[in-house]
Amino acid sequence: MKRILVIRKRATPIADHAMGRIEVWAKPHGVEVVDGDDPGSSPDSGPGPSVDGHCPVDADLVVVLGGDGTFLAAVRHLGGRETPMLGVNLGALGFLTEVALEELEEALDAFRRGELKYERRLMLSCSVKPGGRTFTVLNDVVVNKGALARISELEVWVNGRYLANYRADGLIIATPTGSTAYTLSAGGPIVSPDLTSILIAPICPHAMTHRPIIIGGDAEVEIRLCQKNGEVYVTLDGQEGIELQEGNRVVVRRSPSDALLACSPSRDYFSVLRSKLKLAEQHELKKQFDCDALPVERKEAK
C-alpha cells in the first residue's frame, strides 16, 4: 500500500483526531496520506475531490471518517472508481461506516497484509434526458415534489415495458444497500446487500394498491414526468438535486462499477442490522423478564 485518501466530516475534532491516528500509523509503513477534504487544495489538480465529482487522486484505499452521509459523499467523489473504501464510524452506528474508531489501526494493518475483507455493492447509474448528466449512486435515486407541490403523476417503464402510472409524492429507485435508507421509511423491504436487485418504492401513493416492487439488478427503469404540479426534483443519494420539467425522462440502470466496502473485523451486516433497528430488543427483554427462564424452588406437597 502506497497511498491512502482520507475523506472526513469537516470541522469535527473527533475526525481530526482520527486523521492524526492514520498519519501516525502510516509514517513507519511508508504510506502517503492525502487529505481529501483539505480546503486549501485545488479541486482540479490538488488532493481534494474535483468539482465534477471525480477524485483525481489514485489511492490504494479510501478511508471515510464520519457517518453514512460522509460515506455517500465519498462515493460521489470517486466517480465510479472501484477503490476499496473503509468507513470509520464516528457517531451512531451506521450501515455504511461499520468499522469502529477503536478498530482503525487493526483494519489498516489487515488491509496492508491483504487480509481485510470487503463486499461488492451494486450501484446505479442515473441519467436525466434529454441532455442531462449521468450520475452514479450507491443508495437511491429519488423523484419527489418540492415543499409546496401537489401530487405528481409519474409513468414508469421497466426494460421498455410499461409498468404503471404512480400518482404519489414521489418515487424511489434503490439498491439493496439503499433498502435501509429512505426506502425503508417508505414501507419498502430490507434487502440483503449481496443480492443483485433494484427496488421501486412509491412515496405516499394515492392508490393503496401501489406497493414496493423488487426487480432484477440488470433491468433498466425509466421514469417519465407526465404531469408536473409545482416543483419536482430528482435527488441522487441525497447529495445533489436537479429540477425536472414536463417531458423529462429519468433513466436508471445498474452502474458498470461496484462499490467496494471494507468489512468490520468484529461485526457483520446482520449484527449491524440488529443493532441499528433494535431487532433483538424484544428477545433480550424476554430473556430478562420471562418467569419461565428464572429458577423456581419447588416444595413437595404435604
Side-chain angles (χ1 to χ4, degrees):
M1 180 165 57
K2 297 181 179 179
R3 181 179 292 144
I4 295 175
L5 172 64
V6 180
I7 297 178
R8 55 190 165 126
K9 189 173 183 179
R10 300 187 184 188
T12 55
I14 190 170
D16 294 339
H17 167 73
M19 179 69 176
R21 285 174 54 174
I22 295 173
E23 291 173 333
V24 169
W25 175 90
K27 189 172 182 180
H29 294 108
V31 177
E32 178 187 3
V33 178
V34 178
D35 187 354
D37 281 340
D38 182 359
S41 64
S42 168
D44 293 322
S45 58
S50 66
V51 292
D52 64 356
H54 293 269
C55 183
V57 175
D58 286 323
D60 301 291
L61 177 68
V62 175
V63 178
V64 182
L65 306 174
D68 285 356
T70 309
F71 196 95
L72 291 172
V75 171
R76 177 173 173 269
H77 291 333
L78 285 178
R81 293 191 185 188
E82 290 191 349
T83 305
M85 304 181 69
L86 175 65
V88 181
N89 191 269
L90 302 183
L93 188 66
F95 285 106
L96 300 175
T97 53
E98 64 176 48
V99 175
L101 183 57
E102 56 268 23
E103 299 171 329
L104 176 57
E105 287 83 1
E106 178 187 355
L108 291 173
D109 283 332
F111 185 84
R112 188 175 63 87
R113 296 191 303 266
E115 299 173 358
L116 186 65
K117 296 181 180 179
Y118 59 87
E119 299 175 344
R120 282 190 171 270
R121 299 288 184 91
L122 177 148
M123 294 198 293
L124 297 176
S125 176
C126 174
S127 302
V128 178
K129 298 182 178 182
R133 290 164 52 196
T134 299
F135 302 85
T136 301
V137 301
L138 175 60
N139 265 1
D140 48 42
V141 175
V142 180
V143 178
N144 58 0
K145 64 179 185 177
L148 302 177
R150 299 178 180 177
I151 289 177
S152 296
E153 186 171 343
L154 303 171
E155 187 177 282
V156 178
W157 295 68
V158 177
N159 291 332
R161 293 174 291 183
Y162 172 68
L163 172 63
N165 271 49
Y166 290 97
R167 297 192 71 246
D169 285 356
L171 194 68
I172 306 170
I173 311 297
T175 66
T177 300
S179 69
T180 50
Y182 194 1
T183 312
L184 188 62
S185 301
I190 298 173
V191 180
S192 179
D194 58 352
L195 295 179
T196 304
S197 57
I198 296 174
L199 289 78
I200 302 174
I203 305 170
C204 300
H206 188 266
M208 294 299 292
T209 53
H210 286 171
R211 312 303 302 165
I213 300 173
I214 300 176
I215 61 176
D218 294 322
E220 179 184 275
V221 180
E222 182 176 316
I223 305 167
R224 301 176 184 177
L225 182 58
C226 301
Q227 180 182 356
K228 181 180 179 183
N229 293 318
E231 296 176 339
V232 179
Y233 293 87
V234 57
T235 307
L236 306 139
D237 265 351
Q239 301 291 309
E240 189 163 355
I242 302 169
E243 185 174 359
L244 299 178
Q245 306 299 327
E246 281 193 22
N248 276 158
R249 295 177 292 120
V250 179
V251 179
V252 182
R253 60 172 65 91
R254 181 176 182 175
S255 170
S257 59
D258 295 332
L260 306 182
L261 275 62
C263 303
S264 167
S266 62
R267 64 182 63 86
D268 58 27
Y269 173 77
F270 293 107
S271 65
V272 173
L273 196 66
R274 286 195 305 273
S275 177
K276 190 73 173 179
L277 301 182
K278 305 186 185 304
L279 298 180
E281 192 173 73
Q282 293 299 320
H283 177 67
E284 294 300 323
L285 287 173
K286 186 176 186 301
K287 285 199 302 183
Q288 184 177 355
F289 296 107
D290 191 349
C291 294
D292 293 337
L294 298 177
V296 178
E297 294 184 3
R298 298 182 179 275
K299 296 182 178 180
E300 294 183 3
K302 294 183 179 180

